[in-house]
Amino acid sequence: MSKIELVAPCHFGLEAVLKKEILDLGYEISQVEDGRVTFCGDRNALCRANVFLRTAERILLKVGKLKAVTFDELFEKVKALPWENYIPADGRFWVAKASSVKSRLFSPSDIQSIVKKAIVERLKSVYHIEWFPETGAEYPIRISFMKDEATVCLDTTGLSLHKRGYRTMVSRAPIKETLAAALILLTPWKGDRILVDPFCGSGTFPIEAAMIAANLAPGMNRSFTAEKWTNIVERKYWYQTVDEANDMANIQVETDIQGYDIDGEIIRAARQNARAAGVEHLIHFQQRSVKELSHPKKYGFLISNPPYGERLEEKEHLPGLYTEIGERFRELDSWSMYLITSYEDTEKYIGRKADKNRKIYNGMLKTYYYQFLGPKPPKTKHREL
């Protein structure tokens, strides 16, 4: 299994960001679809994708693709896949998730049951056993149907990749770490530029920005299901990947990253999360309301997840809040502002039409990423020596 195919699901609308990340890792893209990117690599790609990708939700090892419109057809085609190349005789395997969109087979529980039976029958005939002890490593299986075509994969990740391990305390409406990282990567911000989040909550935007600035791999301090798959990926590849991540990290980088929130308790939680991520020294957190937002320097970035007003009692405060955001932004000469929100009157109360607007699904909630672009800073002239 020198060459493998991997599937990386992501937030709908952010496939291009993930594609660039995968290309930057040096792997070949084989397909880009709504909410996922498929790519090819060696066995080491499985480890590096899990450790380095900031915007993928998980990394799936593709076992096969098939078309099925009846359960009999599904059974036979899943059974025909070479499961013995992936699951050893003592492996613990189950169908962790089945999904179906615009397909004749649509019941997740029935799909899961049929797929499990088919794999059991295949492995029975290969290993010549009637009963599987399932005492070894875990091999969770995922199958997703789209227009009667199913992609069958093994989940190499386990807990979703947005679980970086640093967020021990969360605010009421936290943004996922993977989504925050993707939204930052959609901007021209670099680690040597100013970044302020005036509604930082538990600190996700500033922490993800600091990790990007310090080149800290998001998965370097967590574990993955596939670490125990020694029949597929030797342990040395995981060690090599973590060594690579440590070599690339630069926690001494200088940054100007700030996070504000009106709630002092939330700011304490944000500091604790930043400490857990190893970037507390790179971020300045402060209890401050949006009306106090100011900064003496030019060409900075506001990147934030302001209140949406999902609760009825909060909705009435949104016009005033977004008006305030617009007023403070106008005072920040030459800055750019990026807001993710589901509030439909954002531009009206900000007082300016966004230069760009991107539809993004935050879970099941349709949101928009409003991009208000400021001027580019003048290029620094380097003296010739």
Side-chain angles (χ1 to χ4, degrees), residues 315-369:
K315 211 111 185 164
E316 62 189 57
H317 301 298
L318 293 186
L321 178 65
Y322 280 76
T323 299
E324 216 160 52
I325 295 170
E327 288 170 356
R328 299 320 307 150
F329 176 52
R330 282 189 287 279
E331 293 298 314
L332 290 166
D333 184 32
S334 72
W335 279 48
S336 297
M337 179 167 70
Y338 299 81
L339 302 177
I340 180 170
T341 176
S342 66
Y343 185 45
E344 293 178 357
D345 288 330
T346 291
E347 291 168 309
K348 175 183 173 182
Y349 290 107
I350 292 290
R352 172 180 162 182
K353 189 167 176 58
D355 298 283
K356 291 182 181 178
N357 189 358
R358 199 182 191 106
K359 183 169 35 173
I360 293 165
Y361 279 89
N362 185 3
M364 296 303 291
L365 183 66
K366 183 170 71 175
T367 61
Y368 293 91
Y369 194 40

Side-chain angles (χ1 to χ4, degrees), residues 163-224:
K163 302 274 191 183
R164 313 284 205 224
Y166 66 72
R167 204 159 75 175
T168 55
M169 301 183 73
V170 297
S171 53
R172 192 173 64 195
I175 190 167
K176 269 189 178 182
E177 294 88 328
T178 45
L179 178 54
L183 296 178
I184 294 167
L185 292 174
L186 269 175
T187 77
W189 179 82
K190 301 292 180 212
D192 60 349
R193 304 277 298 275
I194 305 155
L195 187 151
V196 175
D197 180 357
F199 301 94
C200 73
S202 48
T204 310
F205 270 125
I207 292 169
E208 290 295 320
M211 289 175 72
I212 291 168
N215 216 8
L216 287 174
M220 65 190 294
N221 292 317
R222 55 159 287 174
S223 59
F224 305 96

Side-chain angles (χ1 to χ4, degrees), residues 68-208:
V69 296
T70 68
F71 285 118
D72 285 343
E73 191 178 13
L74 176 63
F75 179 89
E76 293 301 332
K77 288 186 175 178
V78 170
K79 186 182 171 186
L81 295 173
W83 289 101
E84 63 277 8
N85 291 347
Y86 304 93
I87 303 173
D90 68 345
R92 179 172 173 249
F93 59 97
W94 71 101
V95 184
K97 186 172 182 183
S99 61
S100 179
V101 178
K102 297 177 182 175
S103 300
R104 274 167 276 190
L105 300 181
F106 57 85
S107 164
S109 58
D110 289 336
I111 293 169
Q112 285 171 297
S113 176
I114 294 294
V115 170
K116 169 82 179 192
K117 285 175 186 173
I119 299 169
V120 167
E121 288 306 309
R122 170 79 183 203
L123 295 181
K124 271 185 184 179
S125 63
V126 172
Y127 294 130
H128 306 293
I129 54 177
E130 285 296 314
W131 179 78
F132 293 88
E134 299 201 63
T135 54
E138 296 183 344
Y139 295 81
I141 296 143
R142 289 182 169 236
I143 177 168
S144 58
F145 269 92
M146 170 61 78
K147 295 180 181 175
D148 297 324
E149 279 203 338
T151 306
V152 189
C153 301
L154 286 168
D155 179 8
T156 76
T157 302
L159 277 176
S160 172
L161 288 175
H162 81 271
K163 302 274 191 183
R164 313 284 205 224
Y166 66 72
R167 204 159 75 175
T168 55
M169 301 183 73
V170 297
S171 53
R172 192 173 64 195
I175 190 167
K176 269 189 178 182
E177 294 88 328
T178 45
L179 178 54
L183 296 178
I184 294 167
L185 292 174
L186 269 175
T187 77
W189 179 82
K190 301 292 180 212
D192 60 349
R193 304 277 298 275
I194 305 155
L195 187 151
V196 175
D197 180 357
F199 301 94
C200 73
S202 48
T204 310
F205 270 125
I207 292 169
E208 290 295 320

